Amino acid sequence: MADSDNVSEEQADVYHRSIFDKAEQSPVQELVTIVAELKGVEQDELDPLYSWVDGLIDSLYSSPPPAEAQGMVEFTYEGYRITLYQDGRAIFMGRGSAE
C-alpha cells in the first residue's frame, strides 16, 4: 500500500460537508462541486466519477436503506478519501500539501 493510503485523520486535511446543501444539483453533481471547491479548480478540470460510483451514490440517496442500517459509501476521488452517509453527511479526507 502507498503511504497516501495510510494517512491518519491527524495527518490529513479533513472537511465535513452535507450533500443536500444545493437542492438543484444531484448528489453526484454536488459531490463534484464540493471536490472542485476544496481543490480550488473548476469542475471540468476534474476527472469524471466512474459510472459504478455514480450508481452507488444515487442509490444511497434515491432509495436509501432504513435509517437503522446506517448506510454509507466510501471511495477515493481526486486525492480525497470520501465517506458519504445516507443522512447526507460527507467527510472528505485529503493529504493537503502532500498530494
Side-chain angles (χ1 to χ4, degrees):
M1 230 188 248
D3 287 339
S4 63
D5 294 336
N6 294 320
V7 177
S8 70
E9 195 163 312
E10 295 81 33
Q11 297 169 307
D13 294 325
V14 179
Y15 306 92
H16 297 262
R17 300 289 190 272
S18 173
I19 292 298
F20 300 121
D21 284 346
K22 296 178 171 79
E24 69 279 359
Q25 291 185 334
S26 73
V28 172
Q29 291 171 322
E30 191 162 352
L31 173 71
V32 172
T33 298
I34 292 168
V35 171
E37 289 171 359
L38 291 175
K39 292 185 75 127
V41 301
E42 295 296 321
Q43 292 179 30
D44 61 1
E45 295 179 52
L46 301 177
D47 289 328
L49 279 173
Y50 294 102
S51 60
W52 63 270
V53 174
D54 288 357
L56 288 173
I57 295 168
D58 285 339
S59 293
L60 184 65
Y61 299 118
S62 65
S63 56
E68 57 271 6
Q70 299 177 359
M72 63 177 253
V73 173
E74 188 173 69
F75 58 96
T76 300
Y77 175 63
E78 288 287 333
Y80 290 91
R81 188 68 185 163
I82 301 170
T83 306
L84 304 175
Y85 297 90
Q86 74 185 52
D87 65 1
R89 290 178 296 130
I91 300 173
F92 298 79
M93 186 168 55
R95 286 193 63 139
S97 61
E99 288 183 37

